[in-house]
Amino acid sequence: MRPGDVLAAAESAPPVESVEVVARDLAKRFAAFDVSFLLVDLVEEQLVRLTSTAQSRGGGGGERVDLRDSAYEEVLRTQRPWQEQDGDGVRVVLPVTNRGDCVGVLEVTVPSLDEEVLAQLGEAAHALAYVIVTDRRFTDLYHSGRRTTTMSLAAEIQHQLLPSASCCEAAQFTVAGALVPAHDIGGDTYDYSLDRDTLHLSITDAVGHDVASALTATLLVGALRGARRAGGDLAEQARRANQALLEHGRHSLATGLLLRVDLREGGVELVNAGHPAPLLLRDGLVEPVEPEIDLLFGVIPYEYRVQRLDLRPGDRLVLLTDGMFEREAAGADLSALVRDTARLHAREVVRTVTRAVRQACTDRLRDDATVLCLDWHGIGHTERHADNGADTDTASPLRGATPDVAPPDRRDGDTAGPRGR
């Protein structure tokens, strides 16, 4: 059993049936009592069983399984298979992950399990992630399957603005993001894109709520992506975002934090349009990074300053929107959370932070809350370790001191932006 066998089985089926076909193929090859695929929901609190070959499960049927403190959560956190004796067989749960993006888990119950079978099942789970990532372009099955609550129109709009994968790993970095609450939002976005030599990051927060702010967010993301894809530098991206709101935003405003990371030399450029300061974890200490703050997008025609940020291998940079700091969320000590999760994967940091804020607000956030976490491994890294579809060797010593943020000199006639918000 090799990944190519999984891909071949999936290719023979329509996109909406490919996972079921793969499950039946695996059940036949390994004489499995059951092969199931469970999809992680939007808020990463439950799994939804999309398919199962066991007659007792009736094909899966959308069964929901709590994620917290379960074997499934352990598998997703560690990206390692888990197993237990289950009657006359062995039940094994494996991560279905593509470049750090946790799609779900593959659950298989086989008559017996040895190292060879375990390795083959691991390769099958990894290949299944590629199948799902490919097929979700053609069907709503996976989008619908992730929803365990009704989505508002604003939430529907904004989820279409987010990257198709909430996490991405490369040799030099890992980036992960999340937006809560998933079902009723309006205003926040995060985005990332990887060029051959550059990583682009952005986090924005449109003033207001509901559909109006979601439409403002659409203008912002469209302008930023358009400038980026046209080869525009960071200053041009900021200019285009501001122009989009001035011309089409109907007096709407938004904050934003834009970053551009040079993957060859390690340099980082930054634009801050009235946005809260990110947090930096270095040498076990968490400090806010406080660049010069320019005007919000949508105020007046404005020339945004491109500043320099010093990142070192082992650094973790956490970008947040102001929803993370609302009064009801005061019980979540964000700096302590970032510090205490230093050895966790960036994906798990995001989960921990959003879960803590939601708990502090008893799941009644008055505003969107968004987090984007960047782990910088350094330009010396040239490849990933992807045995289970995720980089499991990213822990490097955290060292150094608080970073320096150096804004260039402004030209004559420029007006300094607001110093905080």
Side-chain angles (χ1 to χ4, degrees):
M1 183 69 186
R2 291 292 179 262
D5 299 323
V6 175
L7 298 176
E11 185 69 17
S12 67
V16 73
E17 298 177 7
S18 57
V19 173
E20 295 178 11
V21 169
V22 169
R24 290 196 297 268
D25 186 63
L26 291 175
K28 181 178 179 180
R29 288 176 182 270
F30 294 99
F33 303 129
D34 182 28
V35 177
S36 292
F37 170 69
L38 297 93
L39 186 68
V40 180
D41 80 337
L42 276 174
V43 294
E44 299 190 355
E45 292 292 344
Q46 292 184 317
L47 292 167
V48 179
R49 195 182 304 273
L50 287 190
T51 188
S52 171
T53 60
Q55 292 184 355
S56 60
R57 296 190 188 277
E63 174 194 358
R64 297 181 185 181
V65 181
D66 286 337
L67 187 57
R68 186 172 300 191
D69 299 326
S70 67
Y72 304 113
E73 186 174 50
E74 178 73 8
V75 169
L76 293 175
R77 183 181 65 81
T78 64
Q79 291 295 292
R80 300 296 185 189
W82 174 92
Q83 59 182 281
E84 69 170 1
Q85 194 68 33
D86 185 15
D88 294 331
V90 180
R91 173 173 162 248
V92 58
V93 180
L94 308 106
V96 178
T97 301
N98 172 246
R99 293 190 176 276
D101 180 29
C102 285
V103 180
V105 297
L106 180 66
E107 184 175 34
V108 184
T109 304
V110 290
S112 61
L113 186 69
D114 57 26
E115 290 300 321
E116 181 179 355
V117 171
L118 184 61
Q120 291 185 36
L121 288 174
E123 291 184 354
H126 193 183
L128 183 59
Y130 281 86
V131 170
I132 294 169
V133 167
T134 298
D135 285 352
R136 67 188 179 191
R137 298 176 300 166
F138 310 119
T139 173
D140 282 339
L141 174 67
Y142 305 106
H143 301 286
S144 301
R146 297 190 67 197
R147 300 179 181 190
T148 51
T149 185
T150 303
M151 300 276 282
S152 70
L153 176 58
E156 191 71 55
I157 293 171
Q158 289 206 227
H159 276 288
Q160 297 307 308
L161 302 176
L162 300 179
S164 60
S166 61
C167 180
C168 177
E169 290 178 337
Q172 303 96 328
F173 69 88
T174 303
V175 63
L179 187 158
V180 293
H183 65 285
D184 188 17
I185 55 179
D188 283 13
T189 72
Y190 70 86
D191 199 15
Y192 68 83
S193 180
L194 179 63
D195 292 340
R196 188 177 299 274
D197 301 316
T198 308
L199 172 65
H200 302 271
L201 300 170
S202 71
I203 186 167
T204 63
D205 182 1
V207 175
H209 301 281
D210 302 324
V211 174
S213 58
L215 295 176
T216 300
T218 302
L219 288 172
L220 273 177
V221 173
L224 289 171
R225 287 176 176 170
R228 185 183 75 213
R229 291 165 180 170
D233 60 15
L234 209 59
E236 176 64 7
Q237 292 176 36
R239 188 192 69 79
R240 293 271 293 272
N242 189 45
Q243 181 182 7
L245 294 198
L246 290 173
E247 294 182 356
H248 308 289
R250 298 182 179 181
H251 308 294
S252 58
L253 303 172
T255 70
L257 194 60
L258 316 180
L259 278 78
R260 189 174 184 272
V261 184
D262 189 324
L263 301 179
R264 296 170 301 176
E265 299 180 359
V268 183
E269 296 178 336
L270 175 149
V271 167
N272 188 339
H275 202 79
L279 300 176
L280 179 100
L281 172 65
R282 178 182 289 172
D283 196 25
L285 300 176
V286 178
E287 297 286 348
V289 178
E290 297 183 343
E292 296 295 321
I293 302 176
D294 285 335
L295 288 177
L296 281 68
F297 295 128
V299 178
I300 57 173
Y302 189 79
E303 186 173 348
Y304 290 88
R305 291 172 286 185
V306 177
Q307 305 175 57
R308 304 294 186 269
L309 175 63
D310 168 35
L311 280 185
R312 305 173 190 175
D315 281 353
R316 169 169 288 165
L317 189 66
V318 181
L319 284 58
L320 306 156
T321 58
D322 60 6
M324 287 288 180
F325 304 99
E326 69 175 48
R327 183 175 58 190
E328 286 79 1
D333 188 336
L334 297 178
S335 294
L337 285 170
V338 173
R339 182 188 65 241
D340 295 343
T341 55
R343 291 301 173 184
L344 294 182
H345 191 281
R347 176 182 56 241
E348 296 303 312
V349 175
V350 167
R351 287 186 65 222
T352 301
V353 170
T354 54
R355 176 179 286 179
V357 170
R358 288 173 54 228
Q359 285 180 335
C361 298
T362 61
D363 274 334
R364 294 181 180 178
L365 282 163
R366 293 185 305 169
D367 196 3
D368 307 355
T370 302
V371 56
L372 186 63
C373 179
L374 170 67
D375 282 356
W376 179 244
H377 312 317
I379 59 175
H381 290 245
T382 58
E383 62 182 21
R384 299 167 56 242
H385 299 275
D387 295 340
N388 287 302
D391 190 346
T392 57
D393 189 25
T394 60
S396 57
L398 299 173
R399 53 185 181 275
T402 304
D404 299 322
V405 181
D409 293 336
R410 297 184 67 87
R411 287 185 283 274
D412 292 341
D414 287 348
T415 303
R419 308 300 295 182
R421 65 186 295 270

